[in-house]
mmCIF file of all heavy atoms in Angstrom:
data_model
loop_
_atom_site.group_PDB
_atom_site.id
_atom_site.type_symbol
_atom_site.label_atom_id
_atom_site.label_comp_id
_atom_site.label_asym_id
_atom_site.label_seq_id
_atom_site.Cartn_x
_atom_site.Cartn_y
_atom_site.Cartn_z
ATOM 1 N N TYR A 46 15.110 177.093 -75.425
ATOM 2 C CA TYR A 46 16.555 177.023 -75.200
ATOM 3 C C TYR A 46 16.814 177.012 -73.690
ATOM 4 O O TYR A 46 16.407 177.926 -72.979
ATOM 5 C CB TYR A 46 17.263 178.235 -75.807
ATOM 6 C CG TYR A 46 17.238 178.307 -77.320
ATOM 7 C CD1 TYR A 46 17.478 179.505 -77.967
ATOM 8 C CD2 TYR A 46 16.993 177.175 -78.091
ATOM 9 C CE1 TYR A 46 17.473 179.590 -79.358
ATOM 10 C CE2 TYR A 46 16.985 177.252 -79.473
ATOM 11 C CZ TYR A 46 17.211 178.451 -80.100
ATOM 12 O OH TYR A 46 17.208 178.526 -81.460
ATOM 13 N N SER A 47 17.516 175.987 -73.226
ATOM 14 C CA SER A 47 17.863 175.918 -71.799
ATOM 15 C C SER A 47 19.353 176.120 -71.569
ATOM 16 O O SER A 47 19.799 176.183 -70.431
ATOM 17 C CB SER A 47 17.436 174.566 -71.220
ATOM 18 O OG SER A 47 18.090 173.507 -71.915
ATOM 19 N N PHE A 48 20.122 176.246 -72.673
ATOM 20 C CA PHE A 48 21.571 176.381 -72.535
ATOM 21 C C PHE A 48 22.017 177.825 -72.339
ATOM 22 O O PHE A 48 23.157 178.082 -71.941
ATOM 23 C CB PHE A 48 22.272 175.796 -73.771
ATOM 24 C CG PHE A 48 22.058 176.606 -75.012
ATOM 25 C CD1 PHE A 48 22.945 177.611 -75.383
ATOM 26 C CD2 PHE A 48 20.943 176.393 -75.812
ATOM 27 C CE1 PHE A 48 22.743 178.372 -76.522
ATOM 28 C CE2 PHE A 48 20.730 177.148 -76.956
ATOM 29 C CZ PHE A 48 21.627 178.143 -77.317
ATOM 30 N N ILE A 49 21.134 178.797 -72.635
ATOM 31 C CA ILE A 49 21.512 180.200 -72.477
ATOM 32 C C ILE A 49 21.667 180.506 -70.992
ATOM 33 O O ILE A 49 20.739 180.318 -70.200
ATOM 34 C CB ILE A 49 20.471 181.129 -73.129
ATOM 35 C CG1 ILE A 49 20.444 180.911 -74.642
ATOM 36 C CG2 ILE A 49 20.773 182.589 -72.817
ATOM 37 C CD1 ILE A 49 19.424 181.740 -75.388
ATOM 38 N N GLY A 50 22.860 180.952 -70.629
ATOM 39 C CA GLY A 50 23.170 181.167 -69.215
ATOM 40 C C GLY A 50 23.514 179.892 -68.484
ATOM 41 O O GLY A 50 23.818 179.912 -67.291
ATOM 42 N N ASN A 51 23.476 178.780 -69.203
ATOM 43 C CA ASN A 51 23.738 177.469 -68.601
ATOM 44 C C ASN A 51 24.456 176.597 -69.622
ATOM 45 O O ASN A 51 23.869 175.673 -70.185
ATOM 46 C CB ASN A 51 22.410 176.826 -68.167
ATOM 47 C CG ASN A 51 22.622 175.499 -67.459
ATOM 48 O OD1 ASN A 51 23.633 175.295 -66.800
ATOM 49 N ND2 ASN A 51 21.658 174.599 -67.612
ATOM 50 N N PRO A 52 25.744 176.876 -69.918
ATOM 51 C CA PRO A 52 26.472 176.158 -70.973
ATOM 52 C C PRO A 52 26.421 174.647 -70.783
ATOM 53 O O PRO A 52 26.462 174.154 -69.652
ATOM 54 C CB PRO A 52 27.903 176.691 -70.824
ATOM 55 C CG PRO A 52 27.766 178.001 -70.140
ATOM 56 C CD PRO A 52 26.599 177.872 -69.232
ATOM 57 N N VAL A 53 26.366 173.932 -71.920
ATOM 58 C CA VAL A 53 26.214 172.474 -71.850
ATOM 59 C C VAL A 53 27.537 171.740 -71.979
ATOM 60 O O VAL A 53 27.589 170.523 -71.800
ATOM 61 C CB VAL A 53 25.233 171.980 -72.934
ATOM 62 C CG1 VAL A 53 23.842 172.519 -72.688
ATOM 63 C CG2 VAL A 53 25.725 172.370 -74.329
ATOM 64 N N PHE A 54 28.627 172.451 -72.342
ATOM 65 C CA PHE A 54 29.941 171.822 -72.432
ATOM 66 C C PHE A 54 30.724 172.106 -71.150
ATOM 67 O O PHE A 54 30.419 173.055 -70.413
ATOM 68 C CB PHE A 54 30.728 172.339 -73.635
ATOM 69 C CG PHE A 54 30.100 172.011 -74.975
ATOM 70 C CD1 PHE A 54 30.592 172.589 -76.135
ATOM 71 C CD2 PHE A 54 29.034 171.133 -75.088
ATOM 72 C CE1 PHE A 54 30.025 172.306 -77.366
ATOM 73 C CE2 PHE A 54 28.462 170.842 -76.314
ATOM 74 C CZ PHE A 54 28.954 171.427 -77.458
ATOM 75 N N LYS A 55 31.775 171.323 -70.929
ATOM 76 C CA LYS A 55 32.540 171.483 -69.691
ATOM 77 C C LYS A 55 33.497 172.668 -69.757
ATOM 78 O O LYS A 55 34.045 173.085 -68.735
ATOM 79 C CB LYS A 55 33.303 170.206 -69.373
ATOM 80 C CG LYS A 55 34.336 169.785 -70.422
ATOM 81 C CD LYS A 55 34.921 168.424 -70.092
ATOM 82 C CE LYS A 55 35.900 167.957 -71.180
ATOM 83 N NZ LYS A 55 36.367 166.579 -70.940
ATOM 84 N N LYS A 56 33.735 173.224 -70.957
ATOM 85 C CA LYS A 56 34.585 174.412 -71.101
ATOM 86 C C LYS A 56 34.095 175.267 -72.252
ATOM 87 O O LYS A 56 33.358 174.805 -73.126
ATOM 88 C CB LYS A 56 36.048 174.023 -71.322
ATOM 89 C CG LYS A 56 36.325 173.261 -72.598
ATOM 90 C CD LYS A 56 37.815 173.248 -72.939
ATOM 91 C CE LYS A 56 38.270 174.557 -73.508
ATOM 92 N NZ LYS A 56 39.633 174.535 -74.073
ATOM 93 N N ASN A 57 34.482 176.534 -72.236
ATOM 94 C CA ASN A 57 34.156 177.457 -73.320
ATOM 95 C C ASN A 57 35.140 177.268 -74.467
ATOM 96 O O ASN A 57 36.325 177.027 -74.255
ATOM 97 C CB ASN A 57 34.235 178.903 -72.851
ATOM 98 C CG ASN A 57 33.126 179.252 -71.886
ATOM 99 O OD1 ASN A 57 32.197 178.476 -71.694
ATOM 100 N ND2 ASN A 57 33.229 180.405 -71.251
ATOM 101 N N PHE A 58 34.645 177.413 -75.694
ATOM 102 C CA PHE A 58 35.491 177.335 -76.891
ATOM 103 C C PHE A 58 35.275 178.586 -77.729
ATOM 104 O O PHE A 58 34.164 179.117 -77.795
ATOM 105 C CB PHE A 58 35.129 176.126 -77.751
ATOM 106 C CG PHE A 58 35.475 174.790 -77.170
ATOM 107 C CD1 PHE A 58 34.599 174.131 -76.315
ATOM 108 C CD2 PHE A 58 36.682 174.177 -77.478
ATOM 109 C CE1 PHE A 58 34.914 172.890 -75.794
ATOM 110 C CE2 PHE A 58 37.012 172.933 -76.964
ATOM 111 C CZ PHE A 58 36.125 172.288 -76.110
ATOM 112 N N ASN A 59 36.361 179.018 -78.407
ATOM 113 C CA ASN A 59 36.148 179.977 -79.496
ATOM 114 C C ASN A 59 36.098 179.175 -80.799
ATOM 115 O O ASN A 59 36.219 177.943 -80.792
ATOM 116 C CB ASN A 59 37.233 181.063 -79.517
ATOM 117 C CG ASN A 59 38.626 180.501 -79.742
ATOM 118 O OD1 ASN A 59 38.795 179.461 -80.380
ATOM 119 N ND2 ASN A 59 39.646 181.190 -79.228
ATOM 120 N N LEU A 60 35.933 179.866 -81.928
ATOM 121 C CA LEU A 60 35.750 179.157 -83.200
ATOM 122 C C LEU A 60 36.952 178.287 -83.551
ATOM 123 O O LEU A 60 36.807 177.113 -83.921
ATOM 124 C CB LEU A 60 35.497 180.169 -84.325
ATOM 125 C CG LEU A 60 34.165 180.922 -84.278
ATOM 126 C CD1 LEU A 60 34.160 182.032 -85.328
ATOM 127 C CD2 LEU A 60 32.987 179.987 -84.518
ATOM 128 N N ALA A 61 38.149 178.851 -83.449
ATOM 129 C CA ALA A 61 39.351 178.106 -83.827
ATOM 130 C C ALA A 61 39.554 176.897 -82.930
ATOM 131 O O ALA A 61 39.913 175.807 -83.397
ATOM 132 C CB ALA A 61 40.567 179.028 -83.769
ATOM 133 N N GLU A 62 39.330 177.067 -81.625
ATOM 134 C CA GLU A 62 39.510 175.958 -80.676
ATOM 135 C C GLU A 62 38.509 174.841 -80.934
ATOM 136 O O GLU A 62 38.860 173.661 -80.924
ATOM 137 C CB GLU A 62 39.353 176.478 -79.247
ATOM 138 C CG GLU A 62 40.463 177.409 -78.798
ATOM 139 C CD GLU A 62 40.136 178.138 -77.506
ATOM 140 O OE1 GLU A 62 38.936 178.164 -77.118
ATOM 141 O OE2 GLU A 62 41.062 178.695 -76.897
ATOM 142 N N MET A 63 37.258 175.216 -81.191
ATOM 143 C CA MET A 63 36.220 174.206 -81.408
ATOM 144 C C MET A 63 36.450 173.452 -82.710
ATOM 145 O O MET A 63 36.289 172.227 -82.777
ATOM 146 C CB MET A 63 34.845 174.890 -81.436
ATOM 147 C CG MET A 63 33.656 173.917 -81.481
ATOM 148 S SD MET A 63 33.427 173.016 -79.929
ATOM 149 C CE MET A 63 34.018 171.391 -80.369
ATOM 150 N N ARG A 64 36.839 174.169 -83.741
ATOM 151 C CA ARG A 64 37.117 173.537 -85.032
ATOM 152 C C ARG A 64 38.242 172.511 -84.897
ATOM 153 O O ARG A 64 38.141 171.378 -85.360
ATOM 154 C CB ARG A 64 37.485 174.594 -86.070
ATOM 155 C CG ARG A 64 37.698 174.043 -87.463
ATOM 156 C CD ARG A 64 38.339 175.054 -88.405
ATOM 157 N NE ARG A 64 37.571 176.270 -88.556
ATOM 158 C CZ ARG A 64 37.937 177.455 -88.074
ATOM 159 N NH1 ARG A 64 39.078 177.565 -87.381
ATOM 160 N NH2 ARG A 64 37.196 178.508 -88.256
ATOM 161 N N GLU A 65 39.319 172.922 -84.255
ATOM 162 C CA GLU A 65 40.475 172.039 -84.098
ATOM 163 C C GLU A 65 40.118 170.830 -83.234
ATOM 164 O O GLU A 65 40.539 169.704 -83.528
ATOM 165 C CB GLU A 65 41.646 172.807 -83.488
ATOM 166 C CG GLU A 65 42.911 171.990 -83.306
ATOM 167 C CD GLU A 65 43.416 171.362 -84.600
ATOM 168 O OE1 GLU A 65 43.198 171.942 -85.686
ATOM 169 O OE2 GLU A 65 44.010 170.264 -84.520
ATOM 170 N N TYR A 66 39.349 171.048 -82.194
ATOM 171 C CA TYR A 66 38.932 169.941 -81.315
ATOM 172 C C TYR A 66 38.160 168.897 -82.121
ATOM 173 O O TYR A 66 38.409 167.692 -82.009
ATOM 174 C CB TYR A 66 38.061 170.489 -80.182
ATOM 175 C CG TYR A 66 37.685 169.440 -79.139
ATOM 176 C CD1 TYR A 66 38.400 169.337 -77.957
ATOM 177 C CD2 TYR A 66 36.614 168.569 -79.347
ATOM 178 C CE1 TYR A 66 38.065 168.377 -76.992
ATOM 179 C CE2 TYR A 66 36.273 167.613 -78.402
ATOM 180 C CZ TYR A 66 36.996 167.514 -77.230
ATOM 181 O OH TYR A 66 36.659 166.563 -76.298
ATOM 182 N N TYR A 67 37.216 169.380 -82.918
ATOM 183 C CA TYR A 67 36.377 168.477 -83.705
ATOM 184 C C TYR A 67 37.216 167.687 -84.722
ATOM 185 O O TYR A 67 37.115 166.457 -84.809
ATOM 186 C CB TYR A 67 35.298 169.287 -84.426
ATOM 187 C CG TYR A 67 34.405 168.450 -85.327
ATOM 188 C CD1 TYR A 67 33.233 167.898 -84.838
ATOM 189 C CD2 TYR A 67 34.742 168.205 -86.653
ATOM 190 C CE1 TYR A 67 32.414 167.128 -85.647
ATOM 191 C CE2 TYR A 67 33.934 167.436 -87.476
ATOM 192 C CZ TYR A 67 32.773 166.898 -86.968
ATOM 193 O OH TYR A 67 31.973 166.117 -87.766
ATOM 194 N N LEU A 68 38.015 168.394 -85.516
ATOM 195 C CA LEU A 68 38.782 167.728 -86.571
ATOM 196 C C LEU A 68 39.780 166.733 -85.978
ATOM 197 O O LEU A 68 39.964 165.628 -86.512
ATOM 198 C CB LEU A 68 39.508 168.777 -87.425
ATOM 199 C CG LEU A 68 38.604 169.699 -88.260
ATOM 200 C CD1 LEU A 68 39.425 170.806 -88.917
ATOM 201 C CD2 LEU A 68 37.839 168.909 -89.320
ATOM 202 N N LYS A 69 40.408 167.101 -84.881
ATOM 203 C CA LYS A 69 41.360 166.195 -84.236
ATOM 204 C C LYS A 69 40.644 164.964 -83.690
ATOM 205 O O LYS A 69 41.157 163.837 -83.772
ATOM 206 C CB LYS A 69 42.089 166.932 -83.107
ATOM 207 C CG LYS A 69 43.213 166.121 -82.483
ATOM 208 C CD LYS A 69 43.951 166.939 -81.430
ATOM 209 C CE LYS A 69 45.076 166.119 -80.796
ATOM 210 N NZ LYS A 69 45.767 166.887 -79.726
ATOM 211 N N PHE A 70 39.455 165.158 -83.136
ATOM 212 C CA PHE A 70 38.664 164.048 -82.613
ATOM 213 C C PHE A 70 38.439 162.992 -83.697
ATOM 214 O O PHE A 70 38.618 161.796 -83.465
ATOM 215 C CB PHE A 70 37.317 164.579 -82.091
ATOM 216 C CG PHE A 70 36.379 163.508 -81.604
ATOM 217 C CD1 PHE A 70 36.389 163.115 -80.273
ATOM 218 C CD2 PHE A 70 35.471 162.888 -82.471
ATOM 219 C CE1 PHE A 70 35.515 162.123 -79.815
ATOM 220 C CE2 PHE A 70 34.600 161.898 -82.029
ATOM 221 C CZ PHE A 70 34.623 161.514 -80.695
ATOM 222 N N PHE A 71 38.058 163.442 -84.896
ATOM 223 C CA PHE A 71 37.773 162.481 -85.965
ATOM 224 C C PHE A 71 39.040 161.957 -86.632
ATOM 225 O O PHE A 71 39.072 160.829 -87.115
ATOM 226 C CB PHE A 71 36.800 163.089 -86.976
ATOM 227 C CG PHE A 71 35.371 163.058 -86.483
ATOM 228 C CD1 PHE A 71 34.821 164.154 -85.844
ATOM 229 C CD2 PHE A 71 34.608 161.915 -86.611
ATOM 230 C CE1 PHE A 71 33.526 164.122 -85.362
ATOM 231 C CE2 PHE A 71 33.301 161.861 -86.129
ATOM 232 C CZ PHE A 71 32.760 162.964 -85.488
ATOM 233 N N GLU A 72 40.093 162.757 -86.645
ATOM 234 C CA GLU A 72 41.382 162.251 -87.131
ATOM 235 C C GLU A 72 41.848 161.075 -86.278
ATOM 236 O O GLU A 72 42.333 160.061 -86.796
ATOM 237 C CB GLU A 72 42.435 163.363 -87.086
ATOM 238 C CG GLU A 72 42.474 164.244 -88.319
ATOM 239 C CD GLU A 72 43.646 165.195 -88.303
ATOM 240 O OE1 GLU A 72 43.863 165.867 -87.279
ATOM 241 O OE2 GLU A 72 44.361 165.269 -89.334
ATOM 242 N N GLU A 73 41.679 161.215 -84.978
ATOM 243 C CA GLU A 73 42.093 160.149 -84.061
ATOM 244 C C GLU A 73 41.250 158.889 -84.221
ATOM 245 O O GLU A 73 41.624 157.824 -83.729
ATOM 246 C CB GLU A 73 42.016 160.656 -82.620
ATOM 247 C CG GLU A 73 43.058 161.718 -82.291
ATOM 248 C CD GLU A 73 42.841 162.352 -80.921
ATOM 249 O OE1 GLU A 73 41.754 162.141 -80.334
ATOM 250 O OE2 GLU A 73 43.739 163.070 -80.455
ATOM 251 N N ARG A 74 40.142 159.007 -84.915
ATOM 252 C CA ARG A 74 39.254 157.865 -85.128
ATOM 253 C C ARG A 74 39.225 157.447 -86.600
ATOM 254 O O ARG A 74 38.199 157.009 -87.120
ATOM 255 C CB ARG A 74 37.860 158.198 -84.598
ATOM 256 C CG ARG A 74 37.815 158.178 -83.061
ATOM 257 C CD ARG A 74 36.728 159.057 -82.485
ATOM 258 N NE ARG A 74 36.751 158.999 -81.021
ATOM 259 C CZ ARG A 74 37.611 159.690 -80.256
ATOM 260 N NH1 ARG A 74 38.489 160.493 -80.828
ATOM 261 N NH2 ARG A 74 37.573 159.578 -78.942
ATOM 262 N N GLY A 75 40.353 157.642 -87.268
ATOM 263 C CA GLY A 75 40.541 157.072 -88.593
ATOM 264 C C GLY A 75 40.103 157.913 -89.773
ATOM 265 O O GLY A 75 40.080 157.415 -90.906
ATOM 266 N N HIS A 76 39.762 159.170 -89.556
ATOM 267 C CA HIS A 76 39.332 160.048 -90.642
ATOM 268 C C HIS A 76 40.497 160.913 -91.123
ATOM 269 O O HIS A 76 41.319 161.365 -90.324
ATOM 270 C CB HIS A 76 38.187 160.962 -90.207
ATOM 271 C CG HIS A 76 36.926 160.224 -89.859
ATOM 272 N ND1 HIS A 76 36.827 159.411 -88.755
ATOM 273 C CD2 HIS A 76 35.717 160.176 -90.487
ATOM 274 C CE1 HIS A 76 35.600 158.894 -88.704
ATOM 275 N NE2 HIS A 76 34.905 159.342 -89.741
ATOM 276 N N THR A 77 40.539 161.182 -92.426
ATOM 277 C CA THR A 77 41.557 162.066 -92.988
ATOM 278 C C THR A 77 41.013 163.489 -93.036
ATOM 279 O O THR A 77 39.910 163.723 -93.546
ATOM 280 C CB THR A 77 41.950 161.621 -94.412
ATOM 281 O OG1 THR A 77 42.444 160.281 -94.363
ATOM 282 C CG2 THR A 77 43.015 162.537 -94.991
ATOM 283 N N ARG A 78 41.806 164.409 -92.495
ATOM 284 C CA ARG A 78 41.387 165.809 -92.491
ATOM 285 C C ARG A 78 41.563 166.401 -93.878
ATOM 286 O O ARG A 78 42.616 166.277 -94.482
ATOM 287 C CB ARG A 78 42.209 166.600 -91.483
ATOM 288 C CG ARG A 78 41.780 168.058 -91.361
ATOM 289 C CD ARG A 78 42.733 168.882 -90.517
ATOM 290 N NE ARG A 78 42.855 168.407 -89.155
ATOM 291 C CZ ARG A 78 43.116 169.192 -88.103
ATOM 292 N NH1 ARG A 78 43.268 170.494 -88.280
ATOM 293 N NH2 ARG A 78 43.258 168.681 -86.907
ATOM 294 N N MET A 79 40.510 167.080 -94.363
ATOM 295 C CA MET A 79 40.548 167.733 -95.671
ATOM 296 C C MET A 79 40.563 169.237 -95.526
ATOM 297 O O MET A 79 39.964 169.796 -94.616
ATOM 298 C CB MET A 79 39.313 167.352 -96.507
ATOM 299 C CG MET A 79 39.468 166.100 -97.327
ATOM 300 S SD MET A 79 38.144 166.016 -98.557
ATOM 301 C CE MET A 79 38.594 167.339 -99.678
ATOM 302 N N LYS A 80 41.250 169.908 -96.471
ATOM 303 C CA LYS A 80 41.179 171.359 -96.534
ATOM 304 C C LYS A 80 39.786 171.772 -96.983
ATOM 305 O O LYS A 80 39.125 171.057 -97.741
ATOM 306 C CB LYS A 80 42.218 171.905 -97.515
ATOM 307 C CG LYS A 80 43.652 171.762 -97.038
ATOM 308 C CD LYS A 80 44.609 172.384 -98.055
ATOM 309 C CE LYS A 80 46.048 172.273 -97.585
ATOM 310 N NZ LYS A 80 46.984 172.858 -98.585
ATOM 311 N N ARG A 81 39.383 172.934 -96.546
ATOM 312 C CA ARG A 81 38.048 173.417 -96.920
ATOM 313 C C ARG A 81 37.999 173.774 -98.392
ATOM 314 O O ARG A 81 39.000 174.102 -99.031
ATOM 315 C CB ARG A 81 37.691 174.629 -96.065
ATOM 316 C CG ARG A 81 38.603 175.855 -96.259
ATOM 317 C CD ARG A 81 37.846 176.991 -96.882
ATOM 318 N NE ARG A 81 38.644 178.193 -97.093
ATOM 319 C CZ ARG A 81 38.202 179.266 -97.702
ATOM 320 N NH1 ARG A 81 36.975 179.301 -98.171
ATOM 321 N NH2 ARG A 81 38.977 180.319 -97.897
#
Side-chain angles (χ1 to χ4, degrees):
Y46 293 161
S47 59
F48 69 92
I49 295 178
N51 183 31
V53 295
F54 296 170
K55 62 187 177 186
K56 64 164 284 190
N57 290 351
F58 291 87
N59 61 29
L60 291 171
E62 292 168 344
M63 187 70 254
R64 184 192 301 110
E65 181 57 30
Y66 185 98
Y67 177 91
L68 293 173
K69 187 176 180 182
F70 176 91
F71 281 95
E72 273 188 311
E73 291 172 347
R74 286 154 181 80
H76 296 68
T77 301
R78 183 189 300 210
M79 272 195 70
K80 290 182 179 179
R81 63 113 180 175

